[in-house]
Amino acid sequence: MPRFHVIIAVFLGFLLDCLVGDPEKLPHPVRFMGSGIAFFDRLLRKNEEPPLLQRLKGALLICLIVFATAASSWLLIFAFRFLHPLAALAVETLLCAQCLAARNLRDEAMRVYHRLKAGSLADARRAVARIVGRDTDRLDEAGVIRAAVETVAENTTDGVIAPLFYLVLGGPVLGMVYKAVNTMDSMIAYKNERYRFFGTAAARSDDVANFIPARLAALAMLAASFLLRFDAGSAWRIFRRDRYKHESPNAAQTESACAGALGIRLAGDAYYGGKLEHKPTLGDALRPPEAQDIPRATGLMYVATVLCLLAFLLIRLAVAVLYYNAL
């Protein structure tokens, strides 16, 4: 049933995230999700078991975490609704804010930018290591910039716009379920000996969950490149050419649009755990990357997010109005 208070909670949650982000000292649902995932990982995973059984156990882990997340989120909101509708709205607003990572993503990227502007490549490497999975100790300045820009572009989908999509679609409960799926992907969806089979279901679930939001995020980033007077024509061309040049069906959607808008080349070979991995590049190297590309990327992220927020909320509002008029 469409509910107007979901629209209010999502909007206020977005504003709250923009203002304060996720203070590190406060408890966050993702930490509880991570603890639950780690517990069931230790309980269920046995690398000596047949691959099919490992995959089935990985699927069971998803079911357990999704059920626990949905049930706990619903019960929390239900309990506060007994106190007062405004108390429930406050809880829903907080949960919506905790599903989003726009402010934290921006702050972490700008930390890299400020270290570069201060002239400390070593500090910039340490700063970018907080937000990327690759080895950063041998990155030059251009490599640090590319890593930061790629992270902002990729996480525009799974850190911001995908949560918004599910929050507007199903409220804080569905938003939290998405965060659980995304957290499982980041923890156990690795193609290494430990998780090659056990993490398959987590990886596939995250791919499915992000399929539509990634494409909506890319289209919003193309529109944002036009509004910010970046090279929207190049963004469209590179997006069409490079959006599937990634192992994930979703990651290169926004990365390619961002690369085209900024006129720089992203992705390519990188070291992970001391091992060089060969990856295709995204975009054309029309110019060398510069530190200013980091705030440019965060600008693209924020404008694309606002465009999606307005579009999602307007659609939800229209559905709600049509529903109540039909009663």
Side-chain angles (χ1 to χ4, degrees):
M1 174 180 175
R3 296 177 298 175
F4 288 103
H5 69 83
V6 170
I7 297 173
I8 298 171
V10 173
F11 182 73
L12 292 178
F14 174 72
L15 292 181
L16 184 61
D17 176 69
C18 289
L19 290 173
V20 300
D22 293 321
E24 292 185 6
K25 294 184 179 180
L26 293 181
H28 195 284
V30 169
R31 297 193 184 102
F32 297 112
M33 294 173 191
S35 298
I37 294 165
F39 171 78
F40 285 113
D41 177 14
R42 293 191 297 270
L43 182 67
L44 297 173
R45 181 179 52 81
K46 301 290 188 293
N47 286 343
E48 65 274 9
E49 292 177 334
L52 178 59
L53 183 57
Q54 291 186 52
R55 288 193 172 103
L56 289 174
K57 285 188 173 183
L60 175 61
L61 181 146
I62 291 177
C63 295
L64 292 170
I65 295 298
V66 164
F67 175 79
T69 300
S72 58
S73 301
W74 185 86
L75 286 171
L76 181 65
I77 296 169
F78 184 77
F80 274 86
R81 196 165 290 148
F82 269 110
L83 298 177
H84 195 279
L86 289 179
L89 178 62
V91 170
E92 289 185 276
T93 297
L94 180 60
L95 291 177
C96 288
Q98 291 180 318
C99 284
L100 303 172
R103 175 61 184 267
N104 280 32
L105 181 58
R106 181 260 178 201
D107 288 350
E108 291 292 342
M110 291 305 293
R111 180 180 283 111
V112 179
Y113 170 75
H114 290 307
R115 300 298 186 274
L116 289 172
K117 296 300 286 185
S120 177
L121 180 58
D123 286 344
R125 285 170 174 164
R126 284 190 287 271
V128 82
R130 291 165 53 96
I131 55 175
V132 300
R134 73 193 67 181
D135 300 345
T136 62
D137 57 329
R138 65 184 79 193
L139 292 178
D140 58 12
E141 181 173 334
V144 169
I145 295 167
R146 282 195 296 269
V149 170
E150 287 168 32
T151 296
V152 171
E154 181 179 356
N155 284 282
T156 296
T157 294
D158 54 14
V160 191
I161 291 178
L164 271 179
F165 176 81
Y166 287 105
L167 286 170
V168 175
L169 187 65
V173 174
L174 189 58
M176 282 293 166
V177 167
Y178 169 78
K179 292 300 290 185
V181 171
N182 191 242
T183 302
M184 283 185 280
D185 178 71
S186 65
M187 290 183 65
I188 64 172
Y190 294 102
K191 291 184 177 180
N192 55 24
E193 184 177 348
R194 183 175 182 179
Y195 291 118
R196 181 181 177 187
F197 304 111
F198 186 74
T200 299
R204 297 295 175 266
S205 298
D206 188 72
D207 287 344
V208 171
N210 280 309
F211 190 85
I212 293 175
R215 283 143 185 83
L216 295 175
L219 293 176
M221 189 166 283
L222 292 171
S225 68
F226 174 78
L227 294 174
L228 292 173
R229 298 182 181 274
F230 295 153
D231 194 341
S234 176
W236 172 245
R237 179 176 60 84
I238 298 300
F239 166 71
R240 293 183 63 193
R241 189 190 74 188
D242 294 348
R243 67 187 186 276
Y244 291 117
K245 291 170 63 175
H246 198 284
E247 274 189 30
S248 163
N250 303 317
Q253 301 288 323
T254 46
E255 283 188 46
S256 59
C258 183
L262 299 182
I264 60 176
R265 179 171 290 163
L266 299 177
D269 297 349
Y271 284 89
Y272 295 86
K275 181 181 178 182
L276 178 63
E277 292 191 13
H278 299 284
K279 297 184 176 183
T281 58
L282 305 174
D284 296 328
L286 303 180
R287 60 174 178 81
E290 57 186 24
Q292 198 63 32
D293 288 323
I294 297 175
R296 289 172 185 146
T298 62
L300 279 170
M301 180 267 292
Y302 263 115
V303 174
T305 299
V306 170
L307 290 174
C308 283
L309 175 67
L310 294 176
F312 296 163
L313 290 182
L314 285 173
I315 293 171
R316 172 89 191 211
L317 180 61
V319 171
V321 170
L322 290 173
Y323 177 85
Y324 286 114
N325 286 341
L327 291 178

